[in-house]
């Protein structure tokens, strides 16, 4: 059923004030999946109100867990989990659902999870997940759209040395969770160094796991018999923070993002400074305000952390559309992640795509138009473009936005934006 909700955004000048990012979508999802491994209740703090969190909570409940939510706190009691087959209808809604595979397999010796859905931004195969679990002794079969993973009856996964063929965030997280309850020592090489991987590892250690090398590309996991319960606070969302930083730059405003981890945003801060912005950093705050009358063109190339995140590419394309001169953006992570370019062109942007490179000629002004979000980060780019466009921008397909941004209309309104959600008759 097509949603009748639309977001109306009007250009309203400079955004000013303070904003606080919610907990990180890409951290909370693996952390929620990891609660399966626990033997007692786990309370997570700073949990964002997102559709993806709702879906993963429903998957946990379907498996038998008890999930209670109070404000930004979610408590998962995994003691009632008895199923080892994840619900297809739920898993198909979200690609990150594959993250329950490793924990279920590690705890019960078998797991069935359907191949996942999610944003259509390019090929994201799960082979790295499966190769890692095979290295730990799992037998993997794919039948009727399901991944079937098993170990011998009465057996446990066995620690091993495994190197990922490519850098994969969710692959590393899934295999890491599987290794926590394996017998012996597991060494994982060529691991993604994203902060979200580190956040998962820190949460697992909080519950009694033994993981060393956190933040590096080599994780060493000494298997334990069980994990206890406990509390853990999810890291702030660096992509949400980056989005507000770009909003401050594009509107020539003055925005302070509170309670953040500035070192997670070093690539974004560097690019904004190159564009001519001031980016002031303290221990837990970032302030963005303009320096020049016009933003300068940029050359950007996406790459794994700590370099420029693919999840910030769309927002910077919106900024490049109104920057002076010729910008280029090279997308190296996903092959189908320029779908938002056509929607920005509808608003008057001058963008040409050649394979994995976008060429953007800055224009003096964008114009409001009816546009459609093509994925999660595209929705943010269209909002940013609407903030600086003449007239009203109407954005559809808001289910993408609701997967990854908690209360974005309210937060932007508090900064001075004119933005509201309507339901068409």
């Amino acid at each position: 059923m097509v949603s009748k909700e639309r977001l109306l955004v009007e250009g309203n000048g400079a955004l000013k004030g303070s904003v606080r990012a919610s907990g990180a979508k890409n951290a909370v999802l693996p952390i929620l999946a990891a609660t399966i491994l626990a033997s007692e209740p786990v309370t997570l703090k700073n949990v964002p109100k997102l559709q993806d969190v709702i879906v993963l909570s429903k998957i946990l409940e379907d498996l038998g867990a008890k999930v209670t939510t109070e404000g930004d706190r979610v408590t998962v009691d995994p003691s009632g989990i008895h199923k080892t087959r994840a619900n297809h209808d739920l898993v198909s809604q979200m690609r990150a659902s594959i993250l329950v595979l490793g924990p279920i397999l590690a705890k019960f010796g078998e797991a069935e999870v359907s191949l996942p859905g999610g944003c259509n931004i390019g090929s994201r195969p799960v082979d790295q997940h499966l190769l890692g679990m095979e290295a730990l002794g799992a037998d993997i079969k794919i039948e009727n759209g399901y991944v079937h993973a098993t170990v011998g009856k009465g057996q446990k996964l066995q620690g091993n040395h495994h190197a990922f063929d490519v850098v994969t965030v969710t692959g590393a997280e899934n295999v890491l969770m599987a290794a926590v309850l394996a017998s012996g020592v597991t060494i994982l090489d060529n691991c993604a160094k994203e902060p979200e991987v580190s956040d998962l590892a820190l949460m697992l250690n909080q519950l009694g796991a033994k993981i060393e090398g956190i933040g590096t590309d080599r994780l060493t996991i000494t298997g334990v018999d069980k994990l206890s319960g406990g509390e853990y606070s999810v890291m702030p969302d660096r992509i949400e923070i980056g989005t507000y930083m770009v909003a401050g730059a594009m509107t020539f405003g003055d925005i302070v993002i509170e309670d953040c981890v500035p070192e997670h945003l070093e690539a974004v801060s560097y690019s904004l400074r190159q564009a001519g912005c001031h980016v002031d950093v303290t221990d837990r705050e970032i302030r963005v305000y303009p320096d020049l009358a016009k933003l300068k063109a940029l050359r950007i190339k996406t790459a794994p952390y700590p370099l420029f995140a693919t999840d910030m590419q769309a927002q910077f394309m919106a900024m490049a559309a109104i920057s002076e001169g010729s910008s280029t953006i090279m997308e190296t992570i996903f092959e189908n992640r320029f779908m938002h370019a056509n929607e920005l062109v509808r608003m008057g942007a001058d963008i040409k795509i050649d394979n994995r490179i976008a060429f953007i000629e800055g224009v003096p002004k964008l114009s409001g138009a009816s546009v459609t979000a093509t994925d999660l980060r595209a929705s943010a780019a269209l909002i940013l473009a609407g903030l600086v466009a003449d007239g009203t921008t109407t954005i559809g397909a808001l289910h993408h936005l609701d997967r990854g941004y908690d209360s974005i209309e309210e937060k932007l309104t508090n900064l001075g934006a004119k933005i509201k959600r309507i339901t068409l008759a």
Side-chain angles (χ1 to χ4, degrees), residues 316-323 344 349-351 360-364 366:
F316 269 80
M317 184 180 289
M319 188 177 89
I322 60 162
S323 298
L344 291 170
D350 183 352
I351 304 170
I360 306 108
E361 292 292 333
V363 297
L366 298 175

Side-chain angles (χ1 to χ4, degrees), residues 1-256:
M1 185 175 173
V2 177
S3 171
K4 292 186 176 181
E5 287 192 327
R6 299 289 186 273
L7 210 60
L8 303 183
V9 185
E10 290 185 47
N12 194 39
L15 298 187
K16 295 184 178 180
S18 299
V19 64
R20 180 184 173 277
S22 300
K25 175 186 97 79
N26 290 337
V28 74
L29 299 179
I31 284 173
L32 273 170
T35 62
I36 294 169
L37 294 163
S39 56
E40 300 163 26
V42 179
T43 297
L44 303 176
K45 297 180 286 186
N46 200 33
V47 175
K49 295 176 182 66
L50 303 175
Q51 186 60 30
D52 278 11
V53 170
I54 293 170
V55 171
L56 195 43
S57 296
K58 287 180 177 177
I59 291 172
L60 294 175
E61 289 177 325
D62 185 70
L63 292 170
K66 182 180 179 184
V67 182
T68 54
T69 301
E70 187 176 337
D72 70 350
R73 295 168 69 96
V74 174
T75 299
V76 181
D77 182 353
S79 59
I81 292 179
H82 54 278
K83 291 169 63 175
T84 58
R85 181 183 175 103
N87 182 294
H88 165 75
D89 291 339
L90 292 170
V91 170
S92 63
Q93 296 178 36
M94 181 179 67
R95 184 163 291 275
S97 304
I98 193 69
L99 287 165
V100 301
L101 182 68
I104 297 173
L105 175 64
K107 193 167 187 179
F108 299 103
E110 62 177 330
E112 290 182 69
V113 181
S114 72
L115 293 167
C119 278
N120 183 26
I121 57 174
S123 174
R124 293 192 278 182
V126 297
D127 60 321
Q128 294 299 312
H129 303 237
L130 307 185
L131 288 168
M133 290 181 207
E134 283 181 329
L136 300 179
D139 180 48
I140 305 285
K141 291 186 174 66
I142 298 179
E143 297 172 344
N144 303 319
Y146 272 81
V147 177
H148 297 251
T150 56
V151 293
K153 196 167 181 64
Q155 301 293 309
K156 292 180 67 174
L157 293 171
Q158 299 295 312
N160 200 354
H161 188 177
H162 176 71
F164 292 98
D165 296 338
V166 295
V167 176
T168 163
V169 173
T170 53
E173 291 167 341
N174 223 344
V175 180
L176 170 63
M177 289 187 282
V180 162
L181 297 184
S183 294
V185 176
T186 299
I187 297 174
L188 300 178
D189 272 326
N190 197 29
C191 290
K193 294 182 285 188
E194 269 71 1
E196 294 80 6
V197 179
S198 298
D199 212 36
L200 171 64
L202 290 169
M203 175 267 191
L204 290 167
N205 278 355
Q206 182 86 0
L207 303 187
K210 295 181 179 178
I211 304 166
E212 298 175 271
I214 296 173
T216 74
D217 60 3
R218 168 175 276 203
L219 295 175
T220 302
I221 306 104
T222 302
V224 296
D225 290 332
K226 70 172 190 174
L227 297 185
S228 63
E231 283 194 355
Y232 190 77
S233 186
V234 178
M235 63 175 267
D237 195 314
R238 62 191 174 102
I239 306 303
E240 185 187 359
I241 294 164
T243 301
Y244 296 135
M245 291 170 70
V246 175
M250 284 181 69
T251 65
F252 290 85
D254 190 342
I255 292 179
V256 175

Side-chain angles (χ1 to χ4, degrees), residues 339-379:
M339 292 186 290
H340 47 275
N342 286 336
E343 301 303 303
L344 291 170
V345 167
R346 290 170 60 83
M347 298 178 68
D350 183 352
I351 304 170
K352 294 180 174 55
I353 306 296
D354 182 2
N355 196 12
R356 289 197 178 203
I357 303 178
F359 299 92
I360 306 108
E361 292 292 333
V363 297
K365 200 73 179 173
L366 298 175
S367 300
S370 287
V371 291
T372 302
T374 51
D375 62 66
L376 168 56
R377 304 307 170 186
S379 64

Side-chain angles (χ1 to χ4, degrees), residues 20 66 106 109 117-118 147 163-164 238 272 285 317 329 332 338 349 356 409 419 424:
R20 180 184 173 277
K66 182 180 179 184
V147 177
F164 292 98
R238 62 191 174 102
L272 287 176
E285 289 186 350
M317 184 180 289
I329 300 177
T332 71
F338 283 147
R356 289 197 178 203
E409 301 105 296
I419 176 172
L424 300 180

Side-chain angles (χ1 to χ4, degrees), residues 238-246 265 268 300 302 308-317 329 337 377 384 405:
R238 62 191 174 102
I239 306 303
E240 185 187 359
I241 294 164
T243 301
Y244 296 135
M245 291 170 70
V246 175
L265 280 300
V268 170
I300 288 171
T302 64
F308 192 95
T310 180
D311 277 355
M312 285 302 305
Q313 175 258 108
Q315 297 90 313
F316 269 80
M317 184 180 289
I329 300 177
R337 204 163 199 185
R377 304 307 170 186
L384 293 174
Y405 286 92

Side-chain angles (χ1 to χ4, degrees), residues 264-286:
H264 291 171
L265 280 300
E266 287 178 353
V268 170
S269 297
Y270 173 82
S271 294
L272 287 176
R273 289 185 181 116
Q274 293 295 106
C277 292
H278 285 292
V279 182
D280 296 344
V281 174
T282 63
D283 284 350
R284 299 291 296 179
E285 289 186 350
I286 299 175

